[in-house]
Amino acid sequence: MLNGNYAPNRLSSAWKPTAYRVAGQDVGITPSVEMMLDRCHPEDLPRIQKLISNAMNRGENVDVEHRLLMTDGAVKYVHVVLQNIGNNPADPEFIGAVADITERKLAEEQLRRSDVLLREGQRISQTGTFSWKVETDEITFSEELNRIFGFESGRVVDFDAIGQRVYEEDLPLLAIKMADVRQGGDNPDYEIRLFVDGQIKHVRVVGRIIRHLDGTMECIGAVQDVSAQRIAELGRDKLRSELSQLARVTSLSTMAASIAHEVNQPLAGIIMNASASLRMLCANPPNITGAVETAKRTIRDGNRASDVILRLRNLFKRGVATVEWLDLNDAIRELIGLAASDLQRGRILLIEELSDPPPFVLGDRVQLQQVIMNLLRNSIDAMTDTAQTQKKIFVRTVVGLGEVRVVVEDHGVGLEGTDVERLFDAFHTTKPHGMGIGLSVSRSIIEAHKGKIWAEPRPSGGAIFGFALPFDKDSVDRPSPPEMKT
């Protein structure tokens, strides 16, 4: 606190040394109005000039806080008080004091900023705070918590008012939590619903118990409006239920399409064999031996169609597959025999490059044959418009480190302009009359066998499709074993 006196009409003024230091002036300089205003902050200057003018001309007292701008650019806050002690209003004489309040002002500004940040943080996060003095039931709500409860700002909050906002079914829970706190329970954390302005709000309450030195307890806590989150969760659960239903419908549709796709080949064989058998029986004389052989092939194709349907049902039901040790080369040769007529009609040369000794793998024979047949059929279809000299399909088995690969390579139309990543998606097809099921089912089968399937363009034209299955090199020389059903 700094003292001095000033008589403007007598042009006399006296300052103590500390007043000079606060004002940033050299000690001993004769004080003047200009010197007093010299350090005033430009933004505060008009206001201070008016106050000084009123003091000089009317003898009015001055009590003001303002800023000084020092020569080094620093800002200093001061509190100035001038008291007129003169007897004649026309000849005022002031005694005054000036206090450096910079630290106080900076602390107030920091406190104000912290308060703004707290209020804005509560508003953005929709979180209000409260204080509950347990012994006296004195409750204090923050501004945001008043908004959440629908209370007017500044109103006195008590448990009756709170109870009127709590959803009726949640009142027993609130009573239990309050009783726990009164009995010394610590750190409540729970959710209740509020009914505010005709709407239900979901809020989460978190509290911490403070035990004061005088033995009293105070519950300090926060209440967050989580209504948007709960509504989103309800919407998510509804969507999940709808997607689950859609998945079941899609699965049924895929299974039906898969059955139609996979049994087409054995059904075509049944019709062809039945027609051949009928011609042989109608011949003169009847070809009984040939008819019997074609009838046997008809039975074989019928059994195969039945097996395909059964295995597809197990695949879509995630049922137990018929797992056995099988000679992969033998399974491939069997399929090549079934496709012989299609290869002949298309005048396609099929070249086998099967590993020797044959690899034995553990898997479902019918399902793996389905995959190989799908890849083989795709290669046959891809060479419909291929030049005769290029109509070749290579079927390979390659034993690698920990796996055996089956590769089908053709010289057909290739994969140019095709989204390879989507080739194995259900109902995605590159054929004009395709169903988009074969490769999707093939992927499901291979993944069920813990393998992988892929497609890639052939550098000189055509496509390469293949799959890999886990393989134990010790099984390479395994003799044809009995079936191991699981």
Side-chain angles (χ1 to χ4, degrees):
M1 183 69 69
L2 310 166
N3 296 321
N5 67 305
Y6 178 57
N9 291 342
R10 293 194 295 273
L11 301 176
S12 63
S13 178
W15 283 16
K16 290 188 176 181
T18 47
Y20 285 99
R21 286 196 293 270
V22 170
Q25 301 287 0
D26 294 332
V27 177
I29 296 176
T30 302
S32 65
V33 173
E34 290 74 16
M35 189 182 78
M36 295 168 63
L37 298 178
D38 182 54
R39 293 286 186 263
C40 189
H41 194 285
E43 294 179 1
D44 296 342
L45 184 58
R47 178 168 58 93
I48 301 305
Q49 285 176 326
K50 183 177 181 180
L51 290 174
I52 295 298
S53 176
N54 290 341
M56 294 173 61
N57 298 323
R58 303 177 188 174
E60 294 180 358
N61 295 329
V62 175
D63 189 342
V64 64
E65 293 180 359
H66 70 95
R67 292 167 292 174
L68 301 180
L69 185 60
M70 313 309 288
T71 56
D72 61 358
V75 175
K76 185 179 291 186
Y77 292 83
V78 293
H79 182 195
V80 178
V81 178
L82 295 177
Q83 182 68 40
N84 187 358
I85 59 174
N87 295 324
N88 184 359
D91 186 16
E93 180 180 358
F94 294 93
I95 185 170
V98 57
D100 184 345
I101 60 171
T102 302
E103 290 186 3
R104 192 196 82 191
K105 280 291 186 181
L106 292 177
E108 289 176 352
E109 175 61 22
Q110 186 64 34
L111 182 61
R112 186 195 66 80
R113 177 172 172 77
S114 296
D115 185 59
V116 169
L117 290 174
L118 178 61
R119 287 201 307 270
E120 287 303 302
Q122 290 192 7
R123 184 183 64 82
I124 293 171
S125 65
Q126 295 184 305
T127 303
T129 55
F130 68 87
S131 165
W132 169 28
K133 295 182 179 179
V134 179
E135 282 73 19
T136 62
D137 279 346
E138 180 184 342
I139 302 172
T140 304
F141 272 19
S142 70
E143 181 179 335
E144 179 63 18
L145 192 53
N146 278 324
R147 189 198 64 78
I148 291 174
F149 272 77
F151 294 153
E152 294 180 1
S153 180
R155 70 160 289 173
V156 176
V157 178
D158 54 28
F159 283 114
D160 287 339
I162 293 174
Q164 291 174 7
R165 289 287 191 267
V166 176
Y167 198 71
E168 185 176 4
E169 294 179 2
D170 294 342
L171 283 172
L173 174 60
L174 177 62
I176 291 172
K177 295 300 181 180
M178 289 171 54
D180 288 345
V181 173
R182 291 187 188 278
Q183 293 171 9
D186 202 7
N187 303 339
D189 188 343
Y190 57 96
E191 285 193 17
I192 58 174
R193 290 166 293 176
L194 307 178
F195 193 71
V196 180
D197 297 331
Q199 293 184 336
I200 295 177
K201 290 184 177 182
H202 297 259
V203 297
R204 182 189 176 196
V205 183
V206 180
R208 295 292 178 266
I209 305 302
I210 298 175
R211 291 171 173 82
H212 297 292
L213 293 177
D214 61 2
T216 60
M217 290 193 305
E218 185 175 8
C219 182
I220 305 295
V223 178
Q224 183 178 26
D225 186 345
V226 294
S227 302
Q229 180 181 343
R230 294 295 171 265
I231 292 172
E233 288 174 353
L234 290 173
R236 179 200 63 194
D237 292 342
K238 181 181 179 182
L239 179 60
R240 182 180 293 167
S241 176
E242 292 175 351
L243 287 175
S244 177
Q245 177 65 21
L246 179 61
R248 287 193 292 270
V249 172
T250 302
S251 180
L252 289 173
S253 300
T254 305
M255 185 175 72
S258 300
I259 291 174
H261 180 276
E262 300 301 328
V263 302
N264 182 63
Q265 179 71 21
L267 286 179
I270 291 172
I271 294 172
M272 183 176 65
N273 289 326
S275 298
S277 179
L278 186 61
R279 286 196 303 272
M280 292 176 183
L281 291 173
C282 292
N284 190 13
N287 184 354
I288 302 299
T289 302
V292 170
E293 288 302 316
T294 54
K296 289 180 179 180
R297 288 198 295 271
T298 301
I299 294 172
R300 179 201 64 189
D301 290 340
N303 289 333
R304 177 168 177 76
S306 176
D307 284 344
V308 166
I309 294 173
L310 177 62
R311 304 301 169 84
L312 279 173
R313 286 184 61 193
N314 281 338
L315 178 66
F316 282 95
K317 288 168 58 181
R318 296 295 186 261
V320 178
T322 303
V323 179
E324 59 187 353
W325 285 105
L326 61 101
D327 179 345
L328 205 51
N329 289 352
D330 183 64
I332 291 173
R333 291 191 183 97
E334 183 178 331
L335 286 177
I336 292 174
L338 291 174
S341 57
D342 291 329
L343 293 168
Q344 290 173 0
R345 279 195 299 271
R347 297 185 178 182
I348 298 170
L349 174 63
L350 189 142
I351 301 172
E352 299 177 21
E353 296 180 355
L354 306 180
S355 63
D356 186 23
F360 283 85
V361 297
L362 195 63
D364 187 307
R365 185 183 187 90
V366 173
Q367 288 187 357
L368 293 177
Q369 283 186 323
Q370 279 180 255
V371 176
I372 299 168
M373 178 59 82
N374 281 332
L375 301 185
L376 195 55
R377 286 294 320 164
N378 285 344
S379 291
I380 293 173
D381 293 342
M383 288 193 290
T384 302
D385 299 322
T386 302
Q388 181 59 47
T389 56
Q390 297 295 321
K391 287 192 174 184
K392 296 178 182 178
I393 296 177
F394 295 86
V395 179
R396 303 185 180 94
T397 54
V398 181
V399 176
L401 184 62
E403 66 178 15
V404 58
R405 294 189 172 202
V406 177
V407 178
V408 178
E409 178 181 334
D410 65 63
H411 292 205
V413 294
L415 299 176
E416 185 177 354
T418 300
D419 187 352
V420 177
E421 295 296 327
R422 295 192 60 202
L423 276 177
F424 298 95
D425 291 348
F427 304 111
H428 178 78
T429 181
T430 59
K431 301 177 184 178
H433 305 291
M435 299 175 65
I437 289 297
L439 290 178
S440 173
V441 172
S442 297
R443 180 175 66 178
S444 298
I445 291 172
I446 296 303
E447 289 178 351
H449 283 74
K450 299 180 181 179
K452 58 184 179 181
I453 190 169
W454 69 89
E456 57 185 348
R458 187 171 176 272
S460 57
I464 301 173
F465 284 80
F467 63 87
L469 298 173
F471 177 69
D472 181 0
K473 67 182 182 62
D474 294 335
S475 67
V476 173
D477 300 322
R478 182 188 302 272
S480 182
E483 291 185 357
M484 296 174 59
K485 304 286 184 178
T486 61

